[in-house]
Amino acid sequence: GQVHRMVPGRAFVVMSPEQTRYWRLPGQDWHFIYVLYGGELALEQTRRLLEEGGRMPEFTPSSAAAQALADLYEMGGGADAYAASAILYKLLLTLRGDLYARRSDAGNMPQSIVRALRLAREKYADASFGAAELADACGYSRYHFARLFRRYCGDSPQNYLISLRLGRAMERLATGAESGAVKQIAQDCGFRDYSYFCLMFRKRYGVSPGTLRRSS
């Protein structure tokens, strides 16, 4: 029941199947990139993005989201599945992060949550920094902070931190340019327990970090 006019620097996100149609106005030319994807993890992130109001994301040429789209496009149909998945996941997380930023700029998100998101991005590499430290930094009890965080971010503070850490590790492992040991990457990304890191990584991405490193 809504109509949106597309302009340069905008995109739209839809699930399939969905009651959506789009068309070109008379005399208009389109030059665009589209990404068609599947997979339980990617679709779950997409559902969260849509639930949070991210159907019409905005891009600038220098943004991380635009770069991720360009990287996926340049990979083409013969892309390595692990590397493509890492970039796709980065794209979806970036879109959600941009949405949080726009909400905070518009004054819709409490400054305590804005501060928590900023601190999480700054402190994710510190294994001793967790949900309790986030709550303390924002001046809330853990229970109240967790409820507030989930209301605005769609996830628990602890899950958000784990997702952030796993995403950073995935980026480093999938590029093929990282020369450090997998265990060191895990530590650099805030995981004190290497076995727990491997367990969560496999659960999230369906492959062990060592296997991903060897394929990159």
Side-chain angles (χ1 to χ4, degrees):
Q2 294 181 327
V3 177
H4 301 276
R5 184 182 179 93
M6 298 302 297
V7 297
R10 296 297 298 271
F12 60 89
V13 182
V14 295
M15 300 289 283
S16 180
E18 189 173 339
Q19 292 186 347
T20 306
R21 62 192 180 105
Y22 47 94
W23 63 92
R24 185 181 65 180
L25 296 176
Q28 212 180 41
D29 288 326
W30 278 19
H31 301 275
F32 63 95
I33 294 174
Y34 70 90
V35 179
L36 179 64
Y37 58 87
E40 182 179 348
L41 175 64
L43 294 179
E44 174 60 26
Q45 289 296 324
T46 303
R47 280 190 287 269
R48 291 187 180 187
L49 178 67
L50 294 176
E51 289 170 359
E52 293 158 4
R55 183 176 292 279
M56 300 285 292
E58 299 178 13
F59 296 86
T60 61
S62 60
S63 67
Q67 185 59 56
L69 269 178
D71 289 343
L72 286 170
Y73 175 76
E74 290 173 4
M75 280 183 167
D80 174 83
Y82 295 132
S85 294
I87 295 175
L88 174 62
Y89 190 62
K90 178 181 179 180
L91 169 63
L92 293 171
L93 287 181
T94 299
L95 292 179
R96 292 184 67 197
D98 290 346
L99 181 62
Y100 294 152
R102 289 201 302 274
R103 281 180 175 175
S104 63
D105 290 342
N108 294 329
M109 182 177 287
Q111 286 303 304
S112 58
I113 301 300
V114 175
R115 173 176 168 76
L117 293 172
R118 185 177 67 250
L119 280 174
R121 292 191 292 269
E122 292 174 355
K123 300 284 191 178
Y124 75 90
D126 182 355
S128 65
F129 191 83
E133 286 70 29
L134 272 179
D136 289 344
C138 295
Y140 289 114
S141 68
R142 291 183 63 178
Y143 177 73
H144 180 68
F145 176 69
R147 290 183 60 190
L148 194 64
F149 193 95
R150 184 179 291 277
R151 175 183 173 186
Y152 286 96
C153 301
D155 209 344
S156 71
Q158 186 64 27
N159 284 344
Y160 180 82
L161 274 169
I162 291 173
S163 295
L164 190 61
R165 287 164 171 158
L166 288 173
R168 294 291 189 267
M170 168 62 103
E171 289 176 28
R172 292 179 61 175
L173 289 167
T175 60
E178 183 70 44
S179 59
V182 176
K183 190 171 185 178
Q184 184 60 54
I185 291 174
Q187 292 176 354
D188 292 345
C189 293
F191 289 95
R192 186 178 297 157
D193 186 328
Y194 180 63
S195 297
Y196 177 72
F197 164 71
C198 292
L199 177 67
M200 296 303 295
F201 195 95
R202 181 185 285 277
K203 183 178 180 181
R204 176 62 58 91
Y205 298 113
V207 63
S208 72
T211 299
L212 179 60
R213 157 56 62 80
R214 289 190 294 271
S215 69
S216 300

